[in-house]
Amino acid sequence: ANSFATRWIATSTADPSSADTLGATVIAPIVEESAKAAAVLLVFLFRRRDFTGIVDGVVIAGITATGFAFTENILYLGAAYMGGHGSGPGGLGSATGLFVVRGIFSPFAHPLFTSFIGLGVGFAVVAKKQAWRFLAPLIGYVAAVTAHATWNASAFFGGGGAFVLTYVFA
């Protein structure tokens, strides 16, 4: 979905650079957090007796997001090694640089983002008022997308300094 939407924007606007930026900062957070939220909600719906509160929400979201990040990292590392995704000529150097960023400096980024969804769903489980049962997961989703978008945008805007500041404050 990320690639399709980014290609569509690039074709529609004839501006691939802006499409890549929009894809990473807007489309990817919405699509990826929706997919991870769906997994959390499926556990909630089909294993309701095992989903008893906020801690369960955070743990389930964290495990879901860790699996997502692991899979995404393997795909990105393979592409970097082969020279895909604009990562340069490829080879071990490209893959090593990407591994340092994704595997050492930010392996818990996806679990951090998706933990907001887990908090929201977990809070909904224990909420007494009907309104919070609806609003809490929605607020958690919006917080997850916002955190994800901020993280991705920091790599695109302001150079390395913005990324480092976002890393420190995240």
Side-chain angles (χ1 to χ4, degrees), residues 1-68:
N2 291 343
S3 298
F4 172 79
T6 302
R7 278 193 304 268
W8 181 78
I9 292 168
T11 304
S12 299
T13 64
D15 187 3
S17 178
S18 293
D20 285 343
T21 302
L22 189 63
T25 59
V26 177
I27 296 166
I30 292 170
V31 170
E32 293 175 10
E33 295 308 322
S34 294
K36 293 182 282 182
V40 174
L41 290 174
L42 284 171
V43 172
F44 172 74
L45 291 172
F46 291 105
R47 299 293 295 192
R48 178 65 182 92
R49 70 180 180 280
D50 297 325
F51 206 125
T52 60
I54 295 170
V55 172
D56 291 334
V58 171
V59 169
I60 291 165
I63 290 170
T64 298
T66 300
F68 179 91

Side-chain angles (χ1 to χ4, degrees), residues 84-154:
H85 295 299
S87 60
L92 191 56
S94 294
T96 301
L98 186 64
F99 174 77
V100 168
V101 171
R102 293 189 68 93
I104 295 175
F105 290 124
S106 63
F108 301 111
H110 279 287
L112 172 67
F113 310 146
T114 310
S115 68
F116 290 115
I117 295 168
L119 284 168
V121 175
F123 187 77
V125 168
V126 298
K128 302 285 187 225
K129 297 188 179 202
Q130 188 67 31
W132 280 115
R133 291 183 184 158
F134 173 76
L135 286 175
L138 186 61
I139 291 168
Y141 173 76
V142 169
V145 169
T146 301
H148 195 153
T150 302
W151 178 261
N152 286 4
S154 72

